[in-house]
Amino acid sequence: ATIFRDLLKRPGAMRGRLILLNNLALCLVRNDELDEAEKLLTEAFTLSKSSFQPVVGWRLHFVKALLDTKKGNLDSAEEAIEKAETMARKNRDAAEAQAHLDSALANIRFKQNRFDEAGEQLLAAVDIDPNKPLLRKLYFRLLFGKKKFKEAGVHLKALGNIISSNARYPSSR
């Protein structure tokens, strides 16, 4: 987050500023600095209304969904996911966006206590990006909580393999 804050202090093109605002907001959401993240997203949405919308595309709505989810505004988070999916299809970014959006929607479903749907979203995300440790970990926890130990073990083993591989070849990820 510090790097993005420093870069925002420098003069630069509006396009670069929009990307930095989005990335800093994402970092702040993940660090639970929600008020500052919300201010930055408001500025980013204002900037994106110009011709810069394709620059960040679905990512801006994705970060808004994460923020709204953490704040407990689950209906708004779902709307942001829908907007992100629409924008990803429009900008032909659907392949890149889908695993992120599936995992964000799974998180919303967890918070709504809709665990079966959360599991479906997580499995869809794992199918798209099977080497993402966080997705494997979340899916493992879901299966373990449902006492599906054999299936959970498969994902735990895959998670261990991913971590081992990343430790051996850190520059490949």
Side-chain angles (χ1 to χ4, degrees):
T2 304
I3 293 169
F4 292 127
R5 282 189 183 108
D6 290 344
L7 288 171
L8 278 170
K9 292 176 187 173
R10 299 177 185 177
M14 293 296 275
R15 174 184 169 156
R17 182 168 182 77
L18 181 56
I19 293 167
L20 287 170
L21 286 168
N22 186 66
N23 290 344
L24 178 55
L26 176 61
C27 289
L28 294 173
V29 167
R30 290 191 171 152
N31 289 330
D32 292 323
E33 297 176 47
L34 305 182
D35 292 336
E36 187 178 353
E38 190 165 31
K39 289 176 190 170
L40 294 173
L41 276 177
T42 300
E43 183 180 345
F45 272 109
T46 301
L47 280 176
S48 74
K49 289 182 180 164
S50 64
S51 61
F52 299 111
Q53 186 77 299
V55 171
V56 290
W58 60 272
R59 293 164 191 85
L60 199 55
H61 294 285
F62 169 71
V63 175
K64 182 172 182 352
L66 297 179
L67 174 68
D68 287 342
T69 301
K70 282 204 173 190
K71 291 183 115 188
N73 303 327
L74 303 181
D75 290 339
S76 179
E78 281 190 72
E79 288 174 24
I81 293 286
E82 289 171 16
K83 288 177 183 174
E85 286 176 333
T86 299
M87 188 159 284
R89 281 191 303 274
K90 178 181 171 185
N91 295 333
R92 296 187 174 108
D93 286 341
E96 179 187 348
Q98 201 59 56
H100 296 285
L101 298 176
D102 284 340
S103 66
L105 191 55
N107 195 26
I108 293 167
R109 297 295 180 248
F110 274 122
K111 291 189 179 274
Q112 294 170 327
N113 295 321
R114 294 164 61 181
F115 301 113
D116 288 339
E117 291 174 63
E120 290 170 14
Q121 292 300 142
L122 274 175
L123 186 56
V126 167
D127 285 344
I128 293 168
D129 191 354
N131 294 319
K132 190 169 186 178
L134 177 62
L135 296 176
R136 290 284 184 173
K137 176 183 164 190
L138 290 173
Y139 197 60
F140 162 76
R141 290 174 62 195
L142 175 75
L143 291 171
F144 194 83
K146 292 173 101 178
K147 299 186 184 334
K148 295 184 176 183
F149 301 121
K150 188 173 182 176
E151 281 182 73
V154 170
H155 288 277
L156 183 61
K157 183 176 181 182
L159 178 60
N161 291 338
I162 293 166
I163 292 169
S164 281
S165 176
N166 288 347
R168 282 191 302 258
Y169 308 104
S171 61
S172 67
R173 292 289 291 159

